[in-house]
Amino acid sequence: MTQTDSIVTGIGVGRGLVVGDVRRMPDPLPEPAQTNSTLTPDEELTRATTALSDTAADLRDRGTQAGGLAKEVLDALALMAADTMLLSDVKKRIDGGTTAERAVFDAFANFASIMQAAGGYMAERAGDLGDVANRVIARIAGVPAPGVPQSSTPFILVARDLAPADTALLDFDIVRALVTTDGGPTSHTAILAREKGLPAIVGAKAADILTDGDVIIVDAGKGEIVLNPSADRVDAALTESEARLAARAEATGPGRMADGHEVALLANVGSSKSAAAAVEAHAEGVGLFRTEFLFLDNDAAPSLEVQKAEYAAVFEEFPGQKVVVRVLDAGADKPLSFLTDAGEENPALGRRGIRALLAHEDILRTQLSAIAEATLETDADVWVMAPMISTVEETEAFVSICREVGIAKAGVMIEVPSSALLAHHILDVADFVSIGTNDLTQYTFAADRLLGTVANLQDAWSPAVLRLIREVGLAGELTKKPVGICGEAAADPVLAVVLIGLGVTSLSMSAIALADVRAEISRFTLVEARQLAERALSARNAKDARAAASLAFTH
Ligand code: PEP
Ligand code: MG
């Protein structure tokens, strides 16, 4: 790489701006050759089983070191390496005369295709199998497993994409930013970067030319990587970086635009633990309290008393503030034996969310009663909403049960195009709506949000999605009722401004994203936000919409 100041673009995550040295993650190992083994089957089998059990032990060790959610992910990967069906497949292939490397490669590929075919959560995990296979094959071959380079000095990590086993142990004092050539806005790398507040640019195909030691500027806000920057450019970037950090640190109060227009900035939480992080990040309350954690991995719904205690623990963190609780969203990627139907061909289109709850009204009523009782014990301003509403009738059914149980504010999520298009009727019945852009995008494009092969379609910048949001925004203006956003889209600072321009009145996101969004919306007036929204709406695809709106952010 010789050209000075040349620019590579990708999809930026966050607003960070970092100057640093490149360290590349080695590419995956080449596919093992299909040659016949020169060793005996027993010798080959020993090579394979040793590598499989060593890899499982290594993954478990990494999990213990990392702790938390990463431990769960790595323990699940370790189980894949120790799977008995996989081992017997490896043995069968070795008995057929192949090498340990090739047998492991083929057995993992076969395992991955079975998981892909199962769909949903299993299909999502299938991508991780390739990473585990690589680790096992590297051990057999006696070469280092492809992974994050070790370094005691800070660097910018450049990779094709990052697997969970790589990201779990990233040292955020050393890794200053992430650049990937593959992956999209919902890739594992993008989600991790958002969660940790790390600047990242994903899907930057041309970053393939970067090599170890190159100096680059990563401007996540603009989605740009400057290669080999001149000294002047580096100085300017460092000054701009400080200014952005200062703006971020200063932005602490309630969400307010440059003209004083207020937009509540709320946090998404999944338990009382994440509620504390929301308080620390100055959230004005909770815009999405996901309650699934109480139900998953259980054979039956928890009792009213157990639920009430958990809800009260979250409400207590937000005295006098709004907490929007979402009732159980089961089905599709979150199957529950006691609520959802096993064996649906297309569970994402099946009896999930409110459909499952209305079919098991006792579970819904118990949950709503637990929420109502917990509300009486605290000072939080508790609102309740239902997931996956697709008709006005479902809205009526949910709201009327809420009223019976004594819930003061009953709303619904807009996650399906039908409910976006009927938002004005829905808002005649419900007290508020909250748009789940993750599912709304999935259902607009008929593209599984967990499936890597269609990840390019999972982009809320798409004008198709923005037009649906505009319908909901207009309905909110007409009925004078609140319209929130609680999907990933709210955490994108540029998109957040556009969403306000579309008529959204509150934004809810993971706590870490709040500071950047707060700083960004304070730079624009409502009129400007509407102009940006118009530009994005008239674009022909997500890329153009992002570019049209982002133009204003670079000046
Ligand atoms: C959404 O679909 O955007 C949403 C917020 O709900 P979840 O991600 O929990 O499905
Ligand atoms: Mg959803």
Side-chain angles (χ1 to χ4, degrees):
M1 189 196 75
T2 49
Q3 206 183 343
T4 299
D5 275 10
S6 63
I7 290 177
V8 164
T9 57
I11 298 166
V13 180
R15 300 287 296 144
L17 178 58
V18 168
V19 182
D21 292 346
V22 165
R23 291 295 299 270
R24 275 203 84 103
M25 194 150 100
D27 285 339
L29 298 173
E31 188 176 319
Q34 275 182 328
T35 47
N36 278 344
S37 171
T38 52
L39 304 175
T40 66
D42 275 353
E43 285 167 338
E44 287 290 9
L45 188 61
T46 307
R47 295 173 74 219
T49 50
T50 311
L52 282 163
S53 63
D54 287 354
T55 303
D58 174 55
L59 289 166
R60 274 194 303 272
D61 283 353
R62 284 163 176 262
T64 310
Q65 270 184 58
L69 196 62
K71 176 167 169 26
E72 281 174 34
V73 173
L74 292 172
D75 282 352
L77 295 185
L79 283 179
M80 291 176 180
D83 188 87
T84 48
M85 263 171 48
L86 180 106
L87 181 60
S88 60
D89 191 10
V90 169
K91 183 170 180 326
K92 203 173 74 202
R93 291 170 195 274
I94 287 176
D95 287 343
T98 188
T99 61
E101 288 92 330
R102 187 71 211 186
V104 165
F105 179 87
D106 287 338
F108 269 95
N110 186 39
F111 195 180
S113 64
I114 293 170
M115 284 173 75
Q116 284 284 9
Y121 180 79
M122 296 291 269
E124 185 197 11
R125 296 272 72 83
D128 301 342
L129 275 174
D131 173 58
V132 180
N134 263 322
R135 285 169 196 278
V136 177
I137 294 166
R139 273 181 192 272
I140 299 174
V143 299
V148 177
Q150 299 297 316
S151 167
S152 53
T153 51
F155 63 89
I156 295 171
L157 182 61
V158 179
R160 277 202 194 170
D161 204 358
L162 295 172
D166 300 318
T167 53
L169 290 183
L170 280 189
D171 178 344
F172 297 104
D173 289 332
I174 298 288
V175 178
R176 306 277 320 285
L178 302 173
V179 172
T180 64
T181 53
D182 295 357
T186 56
S187 62
H188 185 73
T189 308
I191 291 168
L192 173 100
R194 230 172 263 127
E195 242 175 54
K196 300 289 180 191
L198 195 67
I201 298 192
V202 297
K205 297 234 172 315
D208 239 351
I209 55 168
L210 293 173
T211 53
D212 278 0
D214 286 345
V215 175
I216 58 173
I217 299 172
V218 172
D219 186 341
K222 291 185 193 164
E224 272 180 15
I225 304 157
V226 183
L227 317 184
N228 236 358
S230 62
D232 285 353
R233 192 134 189 184
V234 168
D235 284 348
L238 292 174
T239 309
E240 169 70 16
S241 169
E242 272 170 30
R244 282 193 204 172
L245 286 174
R248 204 173 184 275
E250 276 164 25
T252 50
R256 187 167 287 127
M257 304 192 76
D259 55 358
H261 177 75
E262 288 181 5
V263 180
L265 296 181
L266 308 163
N268 291 355
V269 305
S271 65
S272 47
K273 271 185 243 140
S274 53
V279 173
E280 219 168 283
H282 307 283
E284 294 170 57
V286 174
L288 170 61
F289 173 16
R290 290 183 168 103
T291 55
E292 289 76 48
F293 77 103
L294 268 173
F295 296 81
L296 294 173
D297 302 326
N298 278 333
D299 298 335
S303 69
L304 187 147
E305 287 307 318
V306 168
Q307 292 191 48
K308 182 175 152 186
E310 289 288 344
Y311 303 144
V314 172
F315 299 167
E316 270 158 20
E317 300 278 347
F318 301 94
Q321 291 182 312
K322 181 159 102 175
V323 179
V324 185
V325 188
R326 176 177 75 189
V327 293
L328 178 57
D329 182 18
D333 53 316
K334 303 165 217 154
L336 279 183
S337 59
F338 55 90
L339 189 62
T340 50
D341 303 334
E344 288 180 338
E345 287 246 330
N346 294 300
L349 305 180
R351 198 152 75 170
R352 58 166 300 198
I354 191 66
R355 303 170 189 174
L357 288 175
L358 291 176
H360 296 268
E361 221 181 281
D362 50 325
I363 294 179
L364 174 61
R365 282 182 181 272
T366 305
Q367 185 174 24
L368 289 174
S369 301
I371 296 167
E373 289 186 25
T375 305
L376 294 177
E377 288 185 358
T378 70
D379 295 331
D381 175 19
V382 177
W383 298 21
V384 182
M385 64 184 181
M388 288 299 300
I389 290 281
S390 51
T391 66
V392 180
E393 289 71 23
E394 284 169 352
T395 311
E396 284 168 341
F398 178 72
V399 171
S400 97
I401 300 173
C402 284
R403 302 273 187 253
E404 274 177 47
V405 175
I407 300 283
K409 285 268 192 192
V412 302
M413 288 187 75
I414 304 284
E415 305 185 271
V416 180
S418 63
S419 61
L421 296 168
L422 293 173
H424 59 296
H425 289 306
I426 285 180
L427 271 171
D428 280 339
V429 180
D431 296 322
F432 69 97
V433 293
S434 181
I435 305 172
T437 47
N438 309 335
D439 275 315
L440 185 59
T441 310
Q442 147 163 281
Y443 291 118
T444 300
F445 282 98
D448 186 338
R449 65 192 253 193
L450 300 179
L451 194 61
T453 49
V454 293
N456 59 323
L457 295 170
Q458 186 69 27
D459 191 340
W461 270 104
S462 155
V465 178
L466 298 181
R467 280 166 190 248
L468 289 169
I469 296 174
R470 179 68 187 137
E471 283 297 317
V472 188
L474 285 173
E477 281 161 20
L478 208 71
T479 54
K480 302 203 171 10
K481 289 188 177 174
V483 173
I485 296 266
C486 61
E488 284 287 319
D492 174 334
V494 185
L495 187 48
V497 178
V498 167
L499 294 170
I500 297 170
L502 294 173
V504 161
T505 56
S506 68
L507 297 162
S508 189
M509 62 203 80
S510 46
I512 193 92
L514 281 164
D516 278 340
V517 171
R518 190 182 284 119
E520 207 58 58
I521 68 170
S522 71
R523 296 177 52 214
F524 295 86
T525 64
L526 182 57
V527 170
E528 287 168 339
R530 287 186 178 139
Q531 287 164 353
L532 290 181
E534 281 311 318
R535 286 193 209 173
L537 280 174
S538 56
R540 56 198 297 270
N541 56 32
K543 189 164 169 272
D544 290 356
R546 188 184 269 112
S550 301
L551 215 60
F553 286 76
T554 60
H555 299 306

